Amino acid sequence: MSFGRAIASTVLLIAIVAGCASLYFYRLDFAPPNIQIDEAIIAINAQSIASTGRDLRGELLPLYAQTAEHSWYQPLVIYLTAIALKFAPLSEWSVRVPAVVMSVLGVTLMFLVVLRATRSLFLGAAAAAIGRALSAYRGDHGRPPDYHYPIPFILGWLYCL
């Protein structure tokens, strides 16, 4: 890749990340207007882990967070939220930040995967914008937690492949 092309792809990636982050972070504490049940369950478990190192059932740094008799959450959503709560007070915004960061990371990796596969800046930007940022999946599930946390790992694997 030439120096000019590397600069162009870097500038385009920064523009995509900035645009996506501004869309996802816009009114983060107001949309949806009320915290959802999944967000509440994750928030109280993460707050407990952030403050005491134990979940609501008293287990020290559990691998999975059990929220009901037959309901478990993956650890990444709980621990990233706990990290966010170490730096910000418990609020709708601080509970939703990790999900937004994972969404922006997914858009970034989509651009990089398609750029690497096709060597086309246009296709990389189109894949990031259309395939990730503007799809119904992003609009519908961009903020609730848990659904899209695996996506950056899958895209990272594809990038390395």
Side-chain angles (χ1 to χ4, degrees), residues 16-108:
I16 288 170
V17 169
C20 184
S22 67
L23 285 174
Y24 286 173
F25 277 103
Y26 178 69
R27 295 180 54 103
L28 185 60
D29 51 344
F30 294 110
N34 299 314
I35 201 155
Q36 298 174 2
I37 187 68
D38 289 343
E39 291 174 311
I41 291 169
I42 289 167
I44 59 174
N45 272 289
Q47 178 64 33
S48 179
I49 289 174
S51 60
T52 67
R54 297 183 180 276
D55 68 358
L56 294 176
R57 297 178 326 134
E59 292 186 32
L60 179 65
L61 301 175
L63 180 58
Y64 289 100
Q66 186 175 4
T67 57
E69 187 174 335
H70 299 290
S71 179
W72 300 81
Y73 280 98
Q74 57 180 308
L76 188 60
V77 66
I78 301 286
Y79 286 109
L80 285 181
T81 305
I83 291 169
L85 293 175
K86 281 291 203 183
F87 296 101
L90 181 61
S91 68
E92 290 94 345
W93 187 87
S94 61
V95 170
R96 292 174 178 163
V97 163
V100 170
V101 169
M102 293 301 281
S103 293
V104 172
L105 182 59
V107 171
T108 303

Side-chain angles (χ1 to χ4, degrees), residues 1 5 112-124:
M1 184 182 291
R5 186 165 166 81
L112 293 174
V113 165
V114 174
L115 179 65
R116 177 174 266 189
T118 65
R119 297 193 184 353
S120 168
L121 289 173
F122 174 76
L123 290 177

